[in-house]
Every structure is written in C-alpha cells, then in structure tokens.
Amino acid sequence: MENNQFGINPKLLVKLGSAFAVIAIAGLVVSNSVYSVDAGQTAIVTRYGEIVNTKTSGLNWKSPVEDVTYFSTREAKIDFGEFNNSGDVISGLSAYTSDRQTATVALTLTYQITDPEQVYTKYKSAENMINTLVIPRVRQQLEIVFSQYTAMTVIERRGEFAATLRKEIADMFKGYPLVINDVQSVFNFSKEYERMIEDSVNKDVAVRNQERQTRIAQEQAKEAQVRAEAEARRKTLEADAQAHSIKVVGEAEAESVRALAEALSKNKDLVALKTAERWNGELPTYIPQGTVLPFIQLPNKSE
C-alpha cells in the first residue's frame, strides 16, 4: 500500500488509532474504577444495588459495574427556622402550648451518622433520611413537649424547657443510624402576648417580694418578742435574787438582834461592856441635871 501525502503508511495510522482508542478506554475504565475516601467519610460500594464493600479512607479500586455512595460521619447541623439581626425568630416551626397559644420555634439540631450501611439500606442517602425521618419526628416531638407547658410557664422556665426538648429528641432517635448531639432552641410568641406575660410575671414577682418582706417582718417581730421575753425573765430572776438576798440579810440581822437581846437579858454587865467598846474617851461638856455619867460611878456619900 502506498504512503499518503504525508508519507505515512495508512495501516500504521489504523494501528496507532486503535492503540490510542484502547488507551483512552483503559484510561476511562481506570478513572471510573479508582476512587478515594476522605477522613470523616464512609464509602458504601454497591453492585446492582447490593452492598458489597465499605471503605472508610484512602485510595480504593472498584469494578466498572460497582457504584460508590459517600456518607459523612462528621457532625452536621440542620436548621429549622431563621433569626434576624436582633436574635428574634422570624421563621421556624409552629407549636401550641397547653393554653392554646402559638409559638414560633427555631431549632438547630446537631447530629452524626453512626451506621452508614443502615442509612443506605433504609434510606439510600443521608438527605433522604433527613427528609423522611428526622424532620417529621423533630416536628412531632417539639409539639409534644410544648403542649406540656402553658405560655407563661414556658417563658418562666426556658432552661427547663430547652433541656427537656433536647432529651426527648435525643431519646426519640435511639436505635436509628444517627445520634443527636445537641438541640438549641429559641421561641417567640406574639409581641402583644409576650408583653402581657411579662406584665403578669412582674406582678407575680412583686407579690412574692411583698410576701417575702412580710415574712421577714414577722420573723423580726418574733425575734424581738423572744428577746423581750428573755429580758423580762432575766429581770424577774434578778429581782427574785435581790429579794431573796434582802430576806436572808434581814433574817440574819434579826437573828443577831435576838441573840444580842437574849445575851443582854442574861448579863447586864454586857451593856456596859458594849458601851465602853464604843466610847471615845471624852466626857460631855454639859451634863444636864439628873443625868448619870457613863462608866463613872461616884462614891456614895453615905458610905
């Protein structure tokens, strides 16, 4: 066979074209058969819809008839609702309190897939699981928990409500191929109703403060009464003690006088002795007529 105008043998061109085609096909097959799995991912390898392998990280190989579905095992978030710049809820899930007040609730759900194979088997994809399992059940549990509170109590006990909602939602997904790590919730009632609730709460607080002040005053009055009674008892005891002391002293003095009188009656010289003990040794400068000088007995003239 003659060469073409470029001097190349046509048979050689055919062979080169076939080689390039084989190389291209081989490259395509290789590119479709090699896949990589990042850290924090799990790859489910299926053949005609049946799971044949599971890979967690690295570079892997599959046949052209096999497919790979990726699942993230990192923490992920689902937002139910939106906030404005002031932090107020502008959209979210609706729920009713036990007194039939409507609240708008914005939720942020943090979850993590724990069993990618089960997710694939039941839902085929994480997105389908979120839409068919997570979102409806979160709505349902939110309505159940909210219905256990009145509008006033849910405002007064926001922390308790948030903790209860978090626990109930987490418990709801036990046994499913995901785990709920956290639930953050913010809710709003209408501005008018929230003002009414705030006024009512303020009134209740004022009443409780007044009751507390009354109890404090009553306790203080009781303490003052106890102190007064204790002081009265102390004074009574002191008066009793003083009266007893006076009585004892009086009785002692009376006994002394009685003993002295008895002694004087038995010994007349004792009077002179007692008088002598008290005399300062001086004689009076004036002696009325008929008065007897103490301790001096003048001799009788007739003697």
Side-chain angles (χ1 to χ4, degrees):
M1 180 177 292
E2 297 181 357
N3 295 338
N4 58 20
Q5 58 181 343
F6 298 104
I8 300 175
N9 191 320
K11 289 184 176 180
L12 180 60
L13 289 175
V14 172
K15 290 181 179 180
L16 289 174
S18 299
F20 282 127
V22 170
I23 293 172
I25 293 171
L28 182 62
V29 169
V30 170
S31 65
N32 288 332
S33 299
V34 175
Y35 65 96
S36 63
V37 182
D38 295 334
Q41 280 187 326
T42 296
I44 305 298
V45 182
T46 59
R47 183 184 300 121
Y48 306 118
E50 181 182 356
I51 297 176
V52 294
N53 208 343
T54 300
K55 299 294 184 180
T56 54
S57 62
L59 195 64
N60 301 280
W61 170 271
K62 71 177 183 64
S63 71
V65 297
E66 293 175 340
D67 297 313
V68 178
T69 304
Y70 296 93
F71 291 92
S72 174
T73 53
R74 303 184 185 95
E75 272 196 347
K77 291 184 178 181
I78 307 172
D79 291 323
F80 300 83
E82 295 179 295
F83 304 89
N84 59 19
N85 294 331
S86 301
D88 295 327
V89 178
I90 57 177
S91 67
L93 305 178
S94 295
Y96 292 95
T97 61
S98 60
D99 54 349
R100 306 305 297 171
Q101 296 298 325
T102 304
T104 302
V105 187
L107 295 178
T108 298
L109 188 76
T110 304
Y111 73 97
Q112 198 169 5
I113 292 177
T114 56
D115 191 342
E117 288 191 30
Q118 190 177 355
V119 174
Y120 180 84
T121 301
K122 290 186 175 182
Y123 308 102
K124 296 302 181 184
S125 67
E127 182 181 4
N128 191 44
M129 179 185 68
I130 298 302
N131 292 330
T132 60
L133 174 68
V134 178
I135 293 177
R137 285 180 173 261
V138 169
R139 288 178 181 272
Q140 177 187 13
Q141 197 59 45
L142 173 66
E143 292 175 355
I144 292 173
V145 174
F146 234 99
S147 67
Q148 298 171 2
Y149 293 83
T150 65
M152 181 176 293
T153 55
V154 78
I155 290 175
E156 291 177 340
R157 293 148 56 185
R158 288 177 184 264
E160 176 189 315
F161 166 80
T164 301
L165 182 64
R166 186 182 305 115
K167 178 181 182 302
E168 294 299 329
I169 290 178
D171 291 346
M172 173 176 283
F173 291 103
K174 287 182 178 179
Y176 287 90
L178 77 160
V179 62
I180 305 300
N181 294 332
D182 194 20
V183 179
Q184 297 293 328
S185 60
V186 179
F187 60 84
N188 283 346
F189 293 99
S190 67
K191 296 297 182 182
E192 294 76 12
Y193 190 79
E194 288 201 342
R195 278 195 295 270
M196 184 180 70
I197 292 296
E198 184 177 358
D199 291 342
S200 178
V201 170
N202 289 337
K203 289 179 182 178
D204 289 343
V205 170
V207 170
R208 286 196 292 269
N209 286 339
Q210 183 60 44
E211 291 175 347
R212 184 173 63 86
Q213 294 297 330
T214 301
R215 287 195 300 271
I216 291 174
Q218 291 173 344
E219 291 298 326
Q220 290 175 343
K222 289 180 180 179
E223 291 177 0
Q225 182 180 357
V226 170
R227 287 196 298 270
E229 291 175 352
E231 180 66 15
R233 286 195 297 271
R234 184 186 66 79
K235 290 182 178 180
T236 300
L237 291 175
E238 287 182 353
D240 290 345
Q242 186 175 4
H244 180 71
S245 176
I246 293 172
K247 179 181 178 182
V248 170
V249 171
E251 290 176 349
E253 290 178 350
E255 178 63 22
S256 176
V257 170
R258 186 191 63 76
L260 180 60
E262 183 178 353
L264 290 174
S265 65
K266 292 180 178 180
N267 189 352
K268 295 181 179 181
D269 291 337
L270 184 60
V271 176
L273 175 61
K274 290 293 183 180
T275 303
E277 288 176 352
R278 297 183 181 182
W279 184 43
N280 58 7
E282 295 181 359
L283 293 175
T285 57
Y286 173 75
I287 303 174
Q289 186 177 1
T291 302
V292 179
L293 290 174
F295 318 119
I296 300 176
Q297 293 185 1
L298 297 176
N300 194 337
K301 293 180 178 183
S302 59
E303 293 179 358

